[in-house]
Amino acid sequence: MSQTTPPSNGLTYAAAGVDIDAGNELVKRIKPLVKATSRPGADSDIGGFGGLFDLKSAGFTDPVLVAANDGVGTKLKIAIETGRHRTVGIDLVAMCVNDLVVQGAEPLFFLDYFATGSLDVETATDVVAGIADGCRLAGAALIGGETAEMPGMYVQGDYDLAGFSVGAVERGAILPRKDVAEGDVLLGLASSGVHSNGYSMVRKIIELSGLTWSDAAPFDSDRSLGEALMEPTRIYVKPLLAALRETSGIKALAHITGGGLPENLPRVLPDNCSARIDLARIGAPPVFGWLAETGGVAQAELLRTFNCGIGMVAVVAKDEAEAVCQVLRDAGETVTAIGRIEAEGSSPVLFDNSLTFSAGSSA
């Protein structure tokens, strides 16, 4: 029987497009970043086949686990085109942990998935550094992740991100509560800007405007357009957990992401209630006025695409609204009473008046 002669060209994995040495260098660089996110319950180094977390050490008695996963969407295209990679890691964490806290859960740990065609260690380190920043802001430990180098799947320089987080809440403290009722107050927590939703529309409006990422932002003359639009998603975890610990007024929370106020608030309301919001009380940041004017975006479309200045809504008992506001403001949040809960109306969310835009907008 004849034998096939082994090829003599010395083909390596690196020649096929996967650089194992670059992956090892990335792990070496991010180890101190990961270690800086340690918290009670998680103090292991990365590098194992799985991440460990000890719920007992974290202080829980009868916990229910809550899990969330998400990505950053086409905001990544702006990060890639501008070379601003650090803050998308914060966005990635925020999109997951803000979804945990609305159920009353404390984020415990986070894992990331970074996929690219050819691993650029500098870029990947910046991204993971941002993820570590976000984890520290949320009080979550970065206990693991995956870096996937997949030649042919992505064009040169492109990458994608996904995040996964787990939190815990004591069984009797799960939100939303069942006592949401007519007369409850809606408190809006200010967003830091566009956050991480609606960027396909943002990029289309930029294309129509003829501006480049390096041009001065029309709505913020102190920053370039790219810098302003890369403002990371606000992480509300620690202020909200403080308000939940120190008051008993919060009945429900809604993270205002894709779908905006009209689609996210109904997710936490009982069927016999509607939310009535006074849009004039929101004072949307100027970026939204500029997007509306430049893109010719109607108010209804703006409201269901963007957060329009409100990144989180708390449904609060009327007699405890001021106490909740005080805790949140002491923790650095900008809080505004934007509406109330009413008996079921013609729509789950009812709007009065029109959006107004804060100084800096030409709309």
Side-chain angles (χ1 to χ4, degrees), residues 29 43 51 69 78 92 95 125 147 151 157 187 269 272 276 338:
R29 291 195 188 191
D43 54 13
N69 70 302
I78 303 177
L92 185 67
M95 296 304 290
T125 301
T147 301
L187 300 180
L269 299 180
N272 63 344
R276 182 172 291 277
I338 61 170

Side-chain angles (χ1 to χ4, degrees), residues 46 67 190 256 283 299 328 336 359:
I46 61 168
I256 308 305
Q299 177 173 277
L328 293 172
T336 305

Side-chain angles (χ1 to χ4, degrees), residues 283-296:
V287 59
F288 297 108
W290 182 81
L291 289 168
E293 182 181 57
T294 307

Side-chain angles (χ1 to χ4, degrees), residues 258-285:
L261 289 163
E263 294 187 19
N264 286 290
L265 256 179
R267 297 167 68 179
V268 300
L269 299 180
D271 292 338
N272 63 344
C273 288
S274 290
R276 182 172 291 277
I277 295 175
D278 183 353
L279 293 175
R281 293 187 59 81
I282 289 177

